[in-house]
Amino acid sequence: MLILGIDPGYAIVGFGVVESSGGKQRLVSCGAINTPAGMALPARLLQIAWDMEALIGRFHPQAMAIEELFFNHNVTTGIGVAQARGVILMTAEKLAVPIYEYNPSQVKQAVVGYGKAEKRQVMEMTKRLLGLSSVPKPDDAADAVAIALCHARSATSLLKVYHRSSEH
């Protein structure tokens, strides 16, 4: 199974493509979709949609795993991230890619075995599990790879997936 992991954002969208087969995972590709700081939000959202379509068209994933949104202190930034996340979800739905959502604790639990692990522990385990020489860069890509790994390693857990209606 090919899994597209997404760390949503509107300035940077991290992505990681992980192949999972027979209980083993390997990194296929990772990187980031970047939108320029001076670009208006609607234009950034359109760029994210185009780039997501290109990613899905290139890799043809069987699943997309995306981090659930949680707000820290900056609600204004959170709103922009929520809008970008909506565009990402819409694009995956449009292209018939099943969507799975995970919160940060679920990602940490699946990758490290501890739901309150520190970010550096998640990154180190991601590197180890995939047999990489270094942690993927940028950090957004590394986060996306961890989210994809979470999905690959969570086959027996209760997964939340959006169900498509047959009324398209």
Side-chain angles (χ1 to χ4, degrees):
M1 168 184 276
L2 210 56
I3 303 160
L4 173 60
I6 296 291
D7 181 34
Y10 63 89
I12 302 172
V13 176
F15 71 88
V17 181
V18 171
E19 182 180 46
S20 182
S21 179
K24 294 185 180 183
Q25 292 82 39
R26 84 175 173 88
L27 180 63
V28 174
S29 182
C30 68
I33 295 169
N34 294 287
T35 62
M39 186 183 272
L41 183 61
R44 287 176 128 173
L45 296 176
L46 182 59
Q47 185 65 53
I48 291 167
W50 286 339
D51 289 351
M52 284 299 302
E53 284 189 25
L55 265 177
I56 291 169
R58 178 176 173 199
F59 293 106
H60 306 286
Q62 282 87 42
M64 183 180 81
I66 187 168
E67 191 168 60
E68 288 181 348
L69 188 60
F70 66 98
F71 287 91
N72 282 339
H73 301 289
N74 192 338
V75 174
T76 303
T77 300
I79 291 170
V81 173
Q83 290 173 322
R85 192 172 177 281
V87 165
I88 293 163
L89 293 172
M90 183 272 314
T91 303
E93 181 73 14
K94 174 181 160 188
L95 298 175
V97 178
I99 301 162
Y100 299 84
E101 296 184 275
Y102 298 93
N103 65 45
S105 294
Q106 288 172 307
V107 175
K108 292 171 183 180
Q109 179 68 39
V111 176
V112 179
Y114 177 57
K116 293 184 180 182
E118 293 178 24
K119 184 175 178 120
R120 64 175 177 73
Q121 293 173 299
V122 176
M123 296 302 98
E124 185 58 33
M125 276 305 290
T126 297
K127 182 179 103 172
R128 274 198 205 162
L129 290 168
L130 294 171
L132 305 174
S133 58
S134 62
V135 173
K137 294 291 179 198
D139 285 354
D140 307 271
D143 291 344
V145 171
I147 294 162
L149 263 179
C150 171
H151 182 68
R153 297 170 62 84
S154 299
T156 59
S157 70
L158 295 175
L159 302 176
K160 183 166 95 177
V161 64
Y162 288 102
H163 295 283
R164 288 174 178 65
S165 68
S166 56
E167 307 169 10
H168 284 261

